Amino acid sequence: MKVVVTGGAGFIGSRLAEKLQESHEVTVLDNLSSGTEENISEDMEMVEADIKHDNLEEAFQDADAVFHFAANPKVNTFPENRQKDFDENLKGTKNVLEACEEAGVEELVFASSSVVYGEETEIPTPEDANLDPISMYGATKAGGEHMCQVYQQIFDINLTVVRLANIVGGRNRKGVIYDFIHKLQENPERLEILGNGKQRKSYLHIEDTVDGILAAWRSDKTVFNVGSRDSIDVDGIADVIADEMGLNPVYEYTGGEKGWDGDVPEMRLEIEKLVSTGWEPRHNSKESVRKTTRELLEGRQ
Ligand code: NAD
């Protein structure tokens, strides 16, 4: 098959593109705003384009499937970045959908997020829980899913939605693990922790994530949670990182049960639907955090 990965120069998109290239012809489409060319292998076709305003039809011509992973992925910049969330995630997704329709693309995989559920009380959260986002990022991901579903119904595009938990790995240059390592490299004596350290979430290593996304795509085209079975709190993450760095820092908390506006105190997804396809995460949350910490410290991707 011929496939296009939007956001394919970024953390998740580039690892996905690498795996897809083992059995498909892959084109990466990216504006290199947070992704880099170093993330793409030399023999992979790369189209530099912006999903917000460029005409994507030519890049999608002859494509059998589009994996739509380009977005403003920063979850902790609300309310400052709400315009960027809107532009990249909603306007960009509408443009991607129009190009899919014009180019006759048959299959679409949309990268959604656990944040579409908001402050869910049912833990682990199943796919049929209400979408009740509490941040602009979450709202634009939920809106993106709905737009994709409209195109699925009206234009017969086969749609797979993957709602990703917190995805970690050595190529990820954002998020709590990367931040903690850098804070500790600057000051090994103390570590500032946003919130009270008790926020508890599910973390999944990128290797399991890519396999999970492909398992979802190959099975019935529907909505899948992708995460680990368990969760780890922020204090636990700090402990793993301090241990790997051989440090014993004092933790200083900014306070409150959320790290930022739009954060949730707890997130863990019900993953049995994806497990029923034959996929199984090989690493739990703590193992995913430890593996990522080592990869980042050793500069491995
Ligand atoms: P990333 O920033 O590493 O990758 C995003 C890529 O999209 C980058 O290469 C960037 O250059 C590109 N991009 C951004 N705006 C663009 C535009 N207007 N036109 C073309 N390219 C553009 O982020 P990531 O962590 O790899 O996230 C990938 C996808 O997965 C995003 O849709 C994100 O919302 C979703 N997601 C990520 C996580 C996570 O934990 N990392 C969790 C849930 C969902």
Side-chain angles (χ1 to χ4, degrees):
M1 284 175 88
K2 192 169 176 224
V3 302
V4 177
V5 182
T6 75
F11 163 50
I12 301 174
S14 64
R15 294 294 303 264
L16 183 63
E18 275 166 21
K19 188 80 177 182
L20 281 165
Q21 205 185 20
E22 291 172 10
S23 35
H24 303 283
E25 195 183 322
V26 181
T27 300
V28 159
L29 188 145
D30 204 294
N31 70 350
L32 302 178
S33 53
S34 61
T36 63
E37 275 179 294
E38 293 85 74
N39 285 343
I40 309 165
S41 69
E42 279 176 10
D43 58 345
M44 201 178 282
E45 194 188 338
M46 156 84 194
V47 175
E48 196 170 333
D50 193 311
I51 58 161
K52 293 192 293 296
H53 43 63
D54 287 335
N55 185 344
L56 310 175
E57 190 188 341
E58 196 182 323
F60 287 5
Q61 212 66 53
D62 304 328
D64 301 294
V66 169
F67 288 74
H68 178 33
F69 279 66
N72 173 28
K74 292 192 179 150
V75 289
N76 60 352
T77 55
F78 178 70
E80 301 79 33
N81 263 355
R82 56 199 129 157
Q83 187 63 43
K84 195 169 163 58
D85 284 329
F86 180 84
D87 291 343
E88 307 291 334
N89 302 358
L90 278 183
K91 236 173 121 182
T93 297
K94 175 175 170 286
N95 204 23
V96 165
L97 285 166
E98 274 167 18
C100 283
E101 184 218 333
E102 282 156 11
V105 174
E106 287 186 359
E107 299 190 6
L108 176 68
V109 180
F110 178 66
S112 187
S113 164
S114 61
V115 299
V116 295
Y117 298 119
E119 276 192 78
E120 189 43 61
T121 47
E122 187 178 353
I123 304 280
T125 308
E127 285 88 351
D128 60 3
N130 286 341
L131 301 195
D132 207 1
I134 55 167
S135 66
M136 190 63 170
Y137 171 80
T140 60
K141 283 290 173 185
E145 282 193 25
H146 289 313
M147 285 196 295
C148 290
Q149 280 155 1
V150 168
Y151 274 70
Q152 176 185 34
Q153 283 168 24
I154 306 294
F155 301 111
D156 275 346
I157 294 174
N158 287 315
L159 174 68
T160 306
V161 173
V162 284
R163 293 185 183 142
L164 308 175
N166 286 338
I167 309 306
V168 294
R171 200 172 278 180
N172 196 5
R173 297 283 185 263
K174 60 187 176 319
V176 62
I177 305 177
Y178 184 79
D179 286 349
F180 279 3
I181 288 175
H182 280 264
K183 281 181 181 172
L184 285 170
Q185 281 169 338
E186 273 172 31
N187 184 352
E189 313 272 299
R190 58 172 285 276
L191 178 65
E192 182 196 59
I193 292 181
L194 302 181
N196 59 8
K198 304 293 172 224
Q199 306 97 292
R200 171 167 279 280
K201 297 175 189 168
S202 162
Y203 289 79
L204 188 68
H205 191 267
I206 185 68
E207 289 167 9
D208 286 325
T209 306
V210 167
D211 290 346
I213 294 167
L214 294 179
W217 176 47
R218 287 190 200 108
S219 71
D220 298 342
K221 310 296 179 202
T222 169
V223 180
F224 289 95
N225 287 335
V226 184
S228 53
R229 283 186 201 284
D230 65 345
S231 54
I232 183 170
D233 67 14
V234 182
D235 278 344
I237 294 173
D239 290 346
V240 169
I241 295 170
D243 179 46
E244 286 296 323
M245 295 177 78
L247 301 173
N248 191 17
V250 173
Y251 299 158
E252 291 175 1
Y253 301 96
T254 59
E257 62 169 18
K258 296 181 179 188
W260 56 85
D261 286 339
D263 188 22
V264 294
E266 186 169 9
M267 179 274 285
R268 183 159 58 90
L269 302 176
E270 169 72 59
I271 58 166
E272 295 315 314
K273 187 173 171 186
L274 188 54
V275 167
S276 72
T277 69
W279 171 83
E280 181 74 36
R282 281 164 294 160
H283 309 90
N284 64 25
S285 289
K286 191 172 181 180
E287 288 163 353
S288 297
V289 169
R290 192 174 290 281
K291 185 168 162 63
T292 299
T293 303
R294 288 182 185 166
E295 288 167 353
L296 281 165
L297 289 173
E298 292 163 12
R300 281 191 288 126
Q301 303 194 351

